Amino acid sequence: MNLSIRQIQEVLGAQLIGKEDSLLISDISIDSRSLHHEKTTLFFALVGDNHNAHDYIPGLVDKGVVSFVVSQLPTVKDSNVNYLLVKNTKKALQDLAQYYRAQFDFPVIGVTGSNGKTIVKEWLSYLLSPDFSIVKNPKSYNSQVGVPLSLFLIKESHTLGIFEAGISKKNEMINLANMIAPTVGVFTTIGSAHDNGFDSQREKIREKAKLFTDCTSIVYKSTPLVEEVFSEQLFTENNKKRFSWSFDNKNTTVFVEECITKKTKSEIHLVYQGHQFSFWIPFVDKASIENAMTCFTTLVSLGMAVETILDRMPHIFPVQMRLQIKPAINNCILIDDSYNSDLQSLIIALDFLEQQRKTKRKTVILSDINESGLNDDTLYQTIYDLLQKNKVDRVIVVGKKISHSLSKHSHIQRFDSTQELIDTIKDIGFSSECILVKGSRSFHFEKIVEALEFQKHETVLEVNLDAIGSNLSFYKSKLKPETKVMVMIKAFGYGNGGYELAKLLMHHRVDYLGVAFADEGITLKKEGITTPIMVMNPEIGSYNSIIQYQLEPEIYNFRGLNYFVELAENLGLSRYPIHIKIDTGMHRLGFEIADVPQLIEMLKEKSVVRVKSVLSHLFSSDDLAQEIYTLKQIKDFDEIKKDFEMIYFDEKPIFHLANTTGIINYPQSHFDMVRLGIGLYGIGNTVEEVQSLENVSTLKSVISQIKYIKNGESVGYNRAFVASHNMKTGTVPIGYADGISRILSKKGGKVLVNGVDVPIIGNICMDMLMIDLTGVTCEEGDAVVLFGEEKSVKSIAKQLDTIPYEVLTQISHRVKRVFYRD
């Protein structure tokens, strides 16, 4: 950036507390956990409903950061630190981004819509890259915070900007529009995403259209509602050019006459300026065809020759919008970012590498970076400095440019081509490493991923780590700032994966993790999890191991307490943390309420243990018809709390009662800490939860084989299904050994194939199930979704007359978990 503290103070209208106002700032940060902090970093201490980054300023000062934008001054101010005091740090971040963007005068494309924003942005960047030096949002950085961070990437060498803008409610777009200041507007499609933030589709279109207020041209798919809103809001004067396209309106700029879908590609025939043209794309789904037409029409609006467009369109590619975590050979972990390589996304990936690594050893495999806007020497020296700052242990580079530029560093392994690296992978000796694979698309690094991946699986459970973070934030927003949070990750994280979720939750600084048995906690401790872990159902035989691995047991009866105290005395322990469970009506585990006085007297005499917390469990918080019993539990627990508080403890115990639904339905049950379980994984009981929570888990497989059977022929064991007409069937490699209940065979179970709900037929087998594909356009290898965003776990649980917990936790360990971030 090369803006001085004094200049930034003037832009923000901030009060400067500090001496070094001439210091030049080169980087902006909002994440205290990033490793990319130094003296020239300006940190914005953002404040949210559930976090306050001001708390992390002392730690950042220790890392060498000396400049902060704050809305509150620390109690003890460091005399060597610059504090820029403002009313609202997020608004200050946006104001600085708006000022910085205004320093550059080149065309900027602003992209918005309900769906397809990131794909259209990435495809436009690829299609225009031969003609421009392009700056764009990394990945999906399209929010109130992501957009300003993206704008700070602009450099003098850039000649075109492409920025997407995403909103979820009214009055958000004006901030993004002021910052991006687009000259060309691109509207993708309108769909149901974030519908709950708007009163109607019309209102949502009107809000998104605010991005285009000062654009000179606007590109969009023509629909009656979009035409009506745009005409009212944007085209009232003749100062904007409209470039529209449609499948059914011949009066648009581009009219699609026909789209012929073949096995792996679509041939699009269109009319533009009275002439017929055609091109093909390597996609068959409707969304990709629509995104391709949006790109075609945008290129037309920019004046690109049609012949050039037709030549480039067949080369558009799948956009990988997520960082995926996969098990790899020799006890390694693989972070797959194999289709995306630019400087800013490298910084994001390196931070993700640091957050997710299980081992002490970090490895990065990196290709040449194309169209960076920097000369090679500057670019690759910057990359080398990033790798050094992130303490990457092993660096492997592929490509002649990066190999040449980093040739003086003898410890870096260099290869001219991807195939050359693949041919020597076995000799490199990967072992117990966290490997980030990041390459430009032309290098086909997916081949490296295939060579390193531990085992290929057609059936996977995809786990969205960003959705976990979002759901955690939702529940935190219901709590007082001082209320602690324990997250339950028992039963392999409700089937979603234990370590990976624990690592993420440690990253989010939750106060406690809860597991059912000691071996779950031991595994996490061995993997380096430092967050306190409570064992909710410890067996007496596991007490030694609990102490060895510094886990904290729940004690629920006098037998367990006496045994643990005796063991602690024999080991010479002092004040070992334990958690006391009281039974307030669940009648499962816990001391009886009548035993509390005796329990307290006993605890007063035992210095080898200390009561870290006192807890009970709500048994009907999700059923408001049982409110009278829940309120009695809360009242009884409050009395128990008073009894414990009357005796002296060196450290006041934490009192906790509320489970997931208790957080929502009974705020008076929050006490000092809440225990968050199934809601974290996107499954809620209340209307507010259903509207606010994001889907976390998607269970997917593929069609292994398609068959055509005749009337009277049967499918599966025991002729459980007999065709009443000629049919098309599919076999899917997932069965009851993977956790799919055989009851679905009899209960009308269905799966999704290319967006179509198709029935399961015949008896579900151990490793396979069969489906009716009659009338469905599909091929072998197409995806099959058993549950996810469009087909909820709750709906399957209802079919099975059970609860979502059982559906999730039944998914066996042989189903590969793939963790990703959007």
Side-chain angles (χ1 to χ4, degrees):
M1 289 180 59
N2 290 322
L3 290 176
S4 71
I5 289 293
R6 177 62 64 185
Q7 288 174 293
I8 295 172
Q9 177 201 6
E10 292 173 357
V11 171
L12 302 182
Q15 177 185 352
L16 173 60
I17 296 93
K19 302 173 183 177
E20 206 170 349
D21 62 354
S22 61
L23 176 67
L24 288 178
I25 295 298
S26 62
D27 296 298
I28 299 295
S29 176
I30 63 167
D31 188 350
S32 62
R33 299 160 297 196
S34 174
L35 297 181
H36 307 105
H37 291 125
E38 52 191 25
K39 186 174 182 179
T40 57
T41 296
L42 177 62
F43 183 84
F44 281 74
L46 301 186
V47 178
D49 292 335
N50 315 300
H51 67 272
N52 187 339
H54 293 79
D55 297 338
Y56 310 124
I57 289 176
L60 288 165
V61 172
D62 292 340
K63 292 180 180 179
V65 181
V66 297
S67 301
F68 299 88
V69 177
V70 299
S71 56
Q72 58 195 60
L73 291 171
T75 306
V76 180
K77 295 184 287 294
D78 190 315
S79 60
N80 297 315
V81 170
N82 294 310
Y83 301 99
L84 291 167
L85 183 63
V86 298
K87 290 183 178 179
N88 183 307
T89 50
K90 184 171 79 172
K91 181 66 166 57
L93 178 71
Q94 294 172 343
D95 289 345
L96 185 60
Q98 182 176 341
Y99 169 82
Y100 185 72
R101 156 71 181 95
Q103 308 310 302
F104 301 90
D105 185 19
F106 53 68
V108 171
I109 300 173
V111 184
T112 194
S114 295
N115 308 103
K117 297 184 292 295
T118 301
I119 292 173
V120 166
K121 177 199 67 186
E122 294 295 335
W123 283 356
L124 285 176
S125 177
Y126 165 74
L127 293 165
L128 290 164
S129 61
D131 310 307
F132 297 92
S133 173
I134 297 172
V135 59
K136 57 187 173 69
N137 319 64
K139 296 194 177 289
S140 301
Y141 273 40
N142 60 22
S143 67
Q144 299 291 315
V145 172
V147 166
L149 293 177
S150 302
L151 292 171
F152 290 126
L153 303 177
I154 300 174
K155 302 186 188 312
E156 290 286 352
S157 56
H158 290 129
T159 56
L160 176 68
I162 309 176
F163 296 102
E164 59 174 295
I167 58 172
S168 58
K169 57 187 178 182
K170 291 182 284 188
N171 302 319
E172 285 188 332
M173 186 58 84
I174 190 65
N175 293 331
L176 303 183
N178 289 338
M179 287 186 281
I180 297 172
T183 54
V184 176
V186 175
F187 188 81
T188 56
T189 58
I190 192 70
S192 60
H194 303 298
D195 268 357
N196 58 318
F198 304 91
D199 294 336
S200 64
Q201 288 271 301
R202 176 185 294 274
E203 183 182 71
K204 183 157 65 170
I205 296 171
R206 289 186 66 86
E207 179 67 22
K208 289 179 181 290
K210 291 177 182 178
L211 180 64
F212 309 141
T213 300
D214 295 321
C215 291
T216 56
S217 59
I218 301 172
V219 178
Y220 60 98
K221 178 188 177 184
S222 177
T223 68
L225 185 56
V226 170
E227 290 283 4
E228 186 179 332
V229 173
F230 279 17
S231 294
E232 294 172 355
Q233 188 169 337
L234 298 173
F235 300 131
T236 54
E237 299 177 13
N238 254 345
N239 60 348
K240 289 179 174 61
K241 296 179 181 178
R242 61 171 80 189
F243 294 85
S244 58
W245 71 270
S246 175
F247 290 117
D248 45 31
N249 181 358
K250 294 184 178 181
N251 295 320
T252 52
T253 310
V254 180
F255 171 61
V256 181
E257 280 190 316
E258 186 179 20
C259 184
I260 303 171
T261 299
K262 299 182 179 179
K263 283 190 175 183
T264 58
K265 64 181 182 180
S266 299
E267 193 173 285
I268 299 172
H269 298 264
L270 56 85
V271 177
Y272 170 59
Q273 292 185 338
H275 300 284
Q276 293 182 317
F277 300 96
S278 66
F279 64 90
W280 65 271
I281 58 172
F283 299 93
V284 296
D285 61 291
K286 182 181 178 182
S288 294
I289 293 168
E290 290 184 339
N291 291 334
M293 284 310 306
T294 299
C295 289
F296 180 95
T297 310
T298 303
L299 299 179
V300 163
S301 78
L302 295 173
M304 183 180 288
V306 175
E307 292 75 14
T308 303
I309 303 174
L310 299 179
D311 181 59
R312 294 180 185 178
M313 289 301 296
H315 302 290
I316 58 177
F317 48 84
V319 176
Q320 183 171 311
M321 295 185 291
R322 52 181 64 167
L323 289 162
Q324 293 189 331
I325 309 169
K326 304 174 178 179
I329 58 173
N330 301 330
N331 199 35
C332 292
I333 295 173
L334 193 62
I335 298 178
D336 180 4
D337 198 13
S338 55
Y339 290 100
N340 194 353
S341 189
D342 59 70
L343 198 54
Q344 186 59 28
S345 67
L346 175 60
I347 294 173
I348 294 169
L350 288 171
D351 277 344
F352 189 64
L353 172 65
E354 174 63 22
Q355 294 165 19
Q356 292 301 320
R357 65 188 180 104
K358 285 186 181 182
T359 62
K360 294 180 180 178
R361 189 169 174 81
K362 293 191 288 186
T363 296
V364 172
I365 302 177
L366 191 64
S367 77
D368 287 350
I369 292 181
N370 302 318
E371 292 94 32
S372 70
L374 301 173
N375 65 60
D376 286 351
D377 289 342
T378 302
L379 170 64
Y380 294 114
Q381 184 58 48
T382 302
I383 288 173
Y384 181 77
D385 292 343
L386 279 173
L387 297 171
Q388 290 292 103
K389 189 181 297 183
N390 278 268
K391 299 177 182 177
V392 175
D393 301 283
R394 189 207 295 255
V395 179
I396 299 172
V397 298
V398 178
K400 294 182 178 179
K401 291 180 181 179
I402 193 170
S403 294
H404 173 74
S405 296
L406 300 181
S407 59
K408 63 182 178 181
H409 304 291
S410 58
H411 65 284
I412 294 178
Q413 295 172 270
R414 300 182 298 279
F415 298 89
D416 285 343
S417 69
T418 300
Q419 191 57 50
E420 185 183 347
L421 169 58
I422 291 172
D423 291 341
T424 60
I425 271 182
K426 291 183 179 179
D427 301 322
I428 290 176
F430 293 107
S431 179
S432 298
E433 300 168 50
C434 195
I435 307 168
L436 169 64
V437 179
K438 187 166 184 60
S440 298
R441 178 167 177 78
S442 59
F443 282 85
H444 297 286
F445 267 21
E446 68 273 13
K447 296 179 181 179
I448 298 174
V449 172
E450 290 174 6
L452 290 174
E453 211 172 344
F454 175 65
Q455 193 175 357
K456 302 296 185 298
H457 292 267
E458 292 180 321
T459 298
V460 298
L461 182 69
E462 294 182 345
V463 181
N464 186 339
L465 297 178
D466 284 340
I468 290 280
S470 174
N471 295 341
L472 177 63
S473 294
F474 166 74
Y475 285 104
K476 279 189 171 183
S477 71
K478 305 300 176 185
L479 308 175
K480 296 177 181 177
E482 65 271 18
T483 305
K484 300 179 185 297
V485 176
M486 173 189 286
V487 174
M488 308 308 298
I489 56 169
K490 59 184 179 178
F492 194 48
Y494 288 67
N496 289 282
Y499 166 76
E500 289 79 7
L501 298 185
K503 182 74 174 178
L504 177 68
L505 295 166
M506 185 170 73
H507 186 67
H508 279 283
R509 298 182 173 94
V510 301
D511 300 282
Y512 261 94
L513 299 174
V515 298
F517 298 102
D519 55 354
E520 295 175 301
I522 290 169
T523 298
L524 296 178
K525 286 293 187 179
K526 284 182 176 179
E527 297 286 6
I529 299 300
T530 57
T531 303
I533 298 173
M534 184 192 302
V535 182
M536 310 295 287
N537 187 21
E539 298 164 321
I540 285 178
S542 68
Y543 281 174
N544 267 303
S545 297
I546 284 174
I547 292 171
Q548 180 184 349
Y549 287 95
Q550 296 183 308
L551 304 172
E552 301 179 16
E554 173 189 293
I555 304 294
Y556 50 82
N557 60 19
F558 285 110
R559 173 172 168 263
L561 179 59
N562 289 327
Y563 192 97
F564 193 86
V565 167
E566 182 180 350
L567 177 62
E569 289 174 342
N570 291 338
L571 293 173
L573 301 181
S574 176
R575 304 183 72 249
Y576 194 92
I578 63 172
H579 302 263
I580 298 297
K581 176 74 169 284
I582 310 295
D583 183 2
T584 57
M586 181 83 168
H587 300 313
R588 188 172 61 178
L589 292 176
F591 290 93
E592 299 298 327
I593 293 177
D595 293 331
V596 168
Q598 178 188 349
L599 172 63
I600 290 175
E601 287 302 314
M602 181 176 175
L603 290 168
K604 284 167 62 176
E605 299 171 0
K606 305 299 181 183
S607 61
V608 293
V609 295
R610 66 183 169 105
V611 178
K612 192 66 181 290
S613 83
V614 179
L615 67 148
S616 190
H617 191 67
L618 296 177
F619 57 81
S620 293
S621 62
D622 58 338
D623 185 358
L624 294 180
Q626 307 291 331
E627 181 182 32
I628 186 172
Y629 298 101
T630 302
L631 293 176
K632 183 178 186 305
Q633 278 192 282
I634 296 170
K635 180 177 180 295
D636 289 344
F637 190 72
D638 192 43
E639 292 299 319
I640 293 164
K641 177 176 181 286
K642 292 174 183 176
D643 290 340
F644 271 88
E645 287 178 335
M646 287 177 64
I647 71 168
Y648 174 77
F649 287 103
D650 291 344
E651 183 180 331
K652 178 192 169 187
I654 301 166
F655 293 90
H656 49 116
L657 175 65
N659 53 11
T660 298
T661 313
I663 295 173
I664 304 298
N665 287 340
Y666 296 96
Q668 67 270 47
S669 73
H670 293 177
F671 291 96
D672 301 319
M673 183 163 72
V674 298
R675 299 190 301 276
L676 176 58
I678 194 73
L680 184 76
Y681 307 100
I683 298 169
N685 292 299
T686 68
V687 173
E688 184 181 10
E689 288 173 290
V690 171
Q691 291 178 342
S692 302
L693 296 177
E694 296 185 16
N695 179 69
V696 169
S697 310
T698 301
L699 181 61
K700 300 171 71 173
S701 192
V702 298
I703 301 172
S704 294
Q705 188 175 15
I706 292 176
K707 289 182 174 290
Y708 296 88
I709 66 172
K710 297 177 181 177
N711 182 15
E713 293 184 330
S714 62
V715 175
Y717 286 116
N718 305 119
R719 288 178 56 84
F721 176 86
V722 178
S724 59
H725 55 276
N726 293 347
M727 295 178 65
K728 174 183 177 182
T729 69
T731 302
V732 184
I734 185 171
Y736 60 76
D738 302 295
I740 305 303
S741 174
R742 289 187 84 241
I743 297 173
L744 286 173
S745 304
K746 311 292 185 184
K747 290 265 191 174
K750 293 184 177 182
V751 299
L752 279 175
V753 176
N754 294 336
V756 180
D757 230 6
V758 301
I760 296 170
I761 55 177
N763 287 324
I764 293 173
C765 308
M766 179 182 287
D767 310 301
M768 288 171 279
L769 59 81
M770 287 70 74
I771 53 179
D772 180 4
L773 295 174
T774 307
V776 179
T777 302
C778 60
E779 297 181 353
E780 291 178 356
D782 282 0
V784 176
V785 177
L786 290 99
F787 61 72
E789 185 76 40
E790 297 175 316
K791 190 175 188 65
S792 72
V793 172
K794 288 186 75 171
S795 66
I796 296 174
K798 187 175 181 180
Q799 274 189 302
L800 294 171
D801 294 324
T802 186
I803 55 177
Y805 300 75
E806 183 175 350
V807 176
L808 281 176
T809 57
Q810 288 299 309
I811 304 304
S812 75
H813 284 229
R814 79 175 188 174
V815 174
K816 178 184 175 184
R817 272 68 175 172
V818 175
F819 302 90
Y820 68 90
R821 299 187 75 164
D822 287 329

